[in-house]
Amino acid sequence: MNAAYAPQATLNLHARHYRIIEDLLEADPRRIEAAHQEVSPVFEETFVAFGDPGRLVGQLAHNFAGRILAQIAVPAFDWGRRLHDQEALRRMIVLKREAKEHQIAPEGMDAFLSQQPEDLRNPFTGEPFGWSAETYEIHFVPSAANYWKRETLIVVY
Amino acid sequence: MHAQTRKQSRWSFWRFVRWGLFLMAMVFVLPVLVWFIANRFDESPTQEALDYAAESPRQVADADNAWLLLAGIGAAAGEDPLVFGRRRVDRVVARSHESPMPPPDAAEVALFVDPVPKVGPDIEIDGVGELCPSRDVDCIAWARENTGMLERLRAANSLRLTRWQTALTLPDWQALYPPLLDGPVQDPSVATLYLNLLALELSQTLPFMPPNGVVIESTEPTTLEKLAQTVVFWRRVQVSPQDLISTLVAGRQIEDAQRIADNWLSMRIESVGRVKKQRLIKFWRRPAGPPNGVKRCATNSVVFSQPCVIRHWGLGARCGNVLMEPRSKDV
């Protein structure tokens, strides 16, 4: 045992963090922002409070090294958002295929997209995907914009 | 009397010094002592920690593990890539068990030199230095424009590509390298090259397509089935418990395959109705399980493996984020 490291306390923290991460990854994308809001205070409570000297002293008293280890083991980014975006892209390609199969004219695409069931809509909002009548594009604003390095994902009709 | 007073004041002085030293020691030493003693006591395991600790990594047989084949895909001709991959894994795992962990020795460095090396795009030879940037261009059109390069890469990587096709038939995927900062990283570029070659094959069928799309029954379905096979393969990887890198690689490969299918749709849409739908259904099928295939992948036994945390002090992020063993209950 290290002077500032308590193994089981560290594993307990790990477990707590990962339960939260699991919940976030399993959250319905339509309420993913709310889910993040809900877990944020838990992370605030367990992370090292460098900005709060009073709490920092308390945290220094026990398992400080373990607390840091547990903290840096929390993934730095939410890859679940990326996968939800990829699911949106899949849905848009499916819609393109369906529309082509049914010979939907570009003018009718707005209505066509509006008629789609839940599992062929924007996974984050439940709304129909966007349609650009000028460029003939089905589009969607991704949640993991930093990863995609673009503001919208498009599928050209 | 005078001497006695002097003696008393000297005694008072030394008593003052002794008490002063004692108090100073208490001020500085006591907190350290308390802190040290406090850290000698650990917490009891929480129920969450017990739950995670009770889970053991699933066991994937080498013969079923496409990841292992990819690890050994550069094996010499005639050597089983699964065996070659296993040798690499064993070597790295053995080193990771030494304490302190040594850097890779010459034998390990040599083991990670591929007897059948990867050949990639060469800007001096091909005029382009990368494979199709699928998010920016139509890969089928791009493949047609870069036929020369892709054919060169197909020939130069023929054995690796054949092995990759074998990997696509294997039922499972499990990363086996331990979580090391200087550890080897799996290179999935052969999978990307394979997709580029499928795009090339699709581009080669297009000029011969009559307007009614009947030709689709000749060569295209084979290529499309291969494309669908890759999607099915990576989806299987994605929905089973994996390390994060595998999850992300799988997502990108699926996306690339679907974009190629989308490019194909754009060109061939008039014949889509004639395509045997069961052949293509795999592209469009909703992923099995939750849409977010990383369900529970964040948790794993490596994170909860005490030796990992202790031995790789400071590598908690690596243990937690990068190389994660799967959870048995998801198998």
Side-chain angles (χ1 to χ4, degrees):
Chain A
M1 185 182 290
N2 184 287
Y5 175 62
Q8 190 55 54
T10 305
L11 295 178
N12 290 347
L13 263 180
H14 267 309
R16 194 169 176 201
H17 289 162
Y18 276 93
R19 182 71 73 199
I20 294 169
I21 294 166
E22 276 189 356
D23 290 345
L24 281 178
L25 291 173
E26 291 173 8
D28 184 330
R30 283 169 301 186
R31 60 172 308 278
I32 202 162
E33 297 301 337
H36 275 272
Q37 294 288 330
E38 286 164 17
V39 303
S40 171
V42 182
F43 281 130
E44 290 266 325
E45 179 203 328
T46 58
F47 280 10
V48 178
F50 287 114
D52 182 346
R55 275 184 58 219
L56 183 61
V57 169
Q59 291 176 341
L60 276 165
H62 187 249
N63 190 34
F64 190 65
R67 185 178 292 273
I68 291 173
L69 279 175
Q71 180 173 335
I72 61 178
V74 173
F77 71 104
D78 178 358
W79 65 92
R81 287 177 185 272
R82 188 185 301 189
L83 296 183
H84 288 309
D85 289 343
Q86 284 171 337
E87 166 63 9
L89 189 63
R90 182 193 71 84
R91 292 179 184 190
M92 290 196 293
I93 298 174
V94 170
L95 285 169
K96 172 179 171 175
R97 187 200 64 161
E98 298 279 324
K100 290 282 189 182
E101 262 191 49
H102 293 96
Q103 299 182 323
I104 306 291
E107 304 81 57
M109 277 300 281
D110 248 338
F112 174 77
L113 293 174
S114 304
Q115 292 160 5
Q116 296 307 315
E118 180 75 27
D119 61 359
L120 284 176
R121 290 177 173 227
N122 181 327
F124 290 99
T125 63
E127 297 293 316
F129 284 108
W131 168 252
S132 169
E134 290 78 34
T135 52
Y136 290 6
E137 291 168 352
I138 308 170
H139 56 80
F140 159 77
V141 178
S143 175
N146 287 345
Y147 166 68
W148 297 98
K149 297 186 179 67
R150 60 201 74 199
E151 289 180 1
T152 53
L153 295 183
I154 58 165
V155 167
V156 180
Y157 186 52
Chain B
M1 177 74 185
H2 193 68
Q4 195 180 358
T5 308
R6 217 178 321 144
K7 202 171 172 182
Q8 272 180 347
S9 72
R10 201 182 304 137
W11 183 86
S12 300
F13 173 75
W14 285 116
R15 193 170 63 168
F16 175 76
V17 168
R18 274 207 308 273
W19 272 105
L21 285 173
F22 177 75
L23 285 173
M24 278 175 66
M26 285 301 99
V27 166
F28 290 106
V29 174
L30 195 63
V32 174
L33 200 64
V34 169
W35 175 76
F36 184 78
I37 291 170
N39 278 279
R40 302 301 292 174
F41 294 95
D42 204 348
E43 294 176 3
S44 303
T46 59
Q47 190 55 49
E48 284 172 336
L50 287 172
D51 289 347
Y52 288 126
E55 293 169 6
S56 55
R58 66 187 176 130
Q59 299 295 317
V60 175
D62 283 3
D64 294 339
N65 193 349
W67 181 95
L68 193 62
L69 195 150
L70 185 59
I73 203 160
E79 183 175 8
D80 184 344
L82 285 167
V83 173
F84 188 56
R86 170 49 71 184
R87 276 170 49 210
R88 286 180 162 179
V89 168
D90 288 347
R91 182 82 192 189
V92 178
V93 169
R95 180 163 63 88
S96 74
H97 286 164
E98 291 179 42
S99 187
M101 195 174 66
D105 60 16
E108 185 176 323
V109 171
L111 186 62
F112 278 85
V113 175
D114 282 335
V116 178
K118 168 181 100 174
V119 178
D122 185 327
I123 197 158
E124 292 193 357
I125 299 172
D126 308 307
V128 283
E130 60 177 2
L131 294 173
C132 177
S134 66
R135 288 178 181 165
D136 301 320
V137 300
D138 175 331
C139 279
I140 296 180
W142 184 93
R144 192 189 295 132
E145 287 167 17
N146 293 283
T147 301
M149 177 188 79
L150 289 173
E151 291 296 1
R152 182 181 75 78
L153 296 182
R154 188 203 299 273
N157 293 286
S158 60
L159 183 54
R160 295 169 72 97
L161 285 162
T162 304
R163 287 169 170 169
W164 178 241
Q165 283 178 281
T166 305
L168 289 173
T169 66
L170 297 185
D172 221 328
W173 174 282
Q174 184 177 40
L176 296 173
Y177 289 141
L180 309 172
L181 281 180
D182 65 345
V185 177
Q186 192 72 291
D187 175 10
S189 59
V190 67
T192 308
L193 174 60
Y194 182 70
L195 285 179
N196 275 239
L197 291 170
L198 294 184
L200 179 64
E201 286 177 25
L202 288 174
S203 80
Q204 289 165 343
T205 64
L206 289 172
F208 307 109
M209 186 197 73
N212 64 9
V214 171
V215 78
I216 204 161
E217 295 299 328
S218 59
T219 57
E220 267 182 329
T222 310
T223 307
L224 291 171
E225 279 168 2
K226 288 181 193 168
L227 202 54
Q229 183 193 21
T230 64
V231 173
V232 171
F233 172 83
W234 286 114
R235 199 164 274 158
R236 207 164 53 228
V237 171
Q238 204 178 41
V239 299
S240 60
Q242 299 295 347
D243 64 291
L244 179 53
I245 288 177
S246 297
T247 302
L248 298 182
V249 167
R252 186 59 205 262
Q253 292 288 325
I254 291 170
E255 182 197 331
D256 282 354
Q258 287 179 334
R259 283 184 188 274
I260 291 170
D262 177 43
N263 301 152
W264 177 83
L265 273 178
S266 295
M267 296 184 194
R268 298 297 304 273
I269 203 61
E270 71 279 5
S271 63
V272 165
R274 296 169 182 271
V275 176
K276 288 183 179 173
K277 286 188 182 171
Q278 66 273 24
R279 285 181 165 157
L280 284 176
I281 197 75
K282 292 164 185 171
F283 285 125
W284 321 116
R285 188 182 292 150
R286 189 186 174 86
N292 187 346
V294 291
K295 179 176 180 279
R296 294 187 180 276
C297 289
T299 52
N300 61 90
S301 61
V302 169
V303 170
F304 296 94
S305 148
Q306 190 173 312
C308 177
V309 177
I310 292 170
R311 287 161 57 81
H312 307 296
W313 183 263
L315 303 186
R318 186 77 177 172
C319 296
N321 297 354
V322 181
L323 205 110
M324 295 179 281
E325 294 292 321
R327 290 160 51 122
S328 58
K329 76 179 179 192
D330 292 315
V331 175

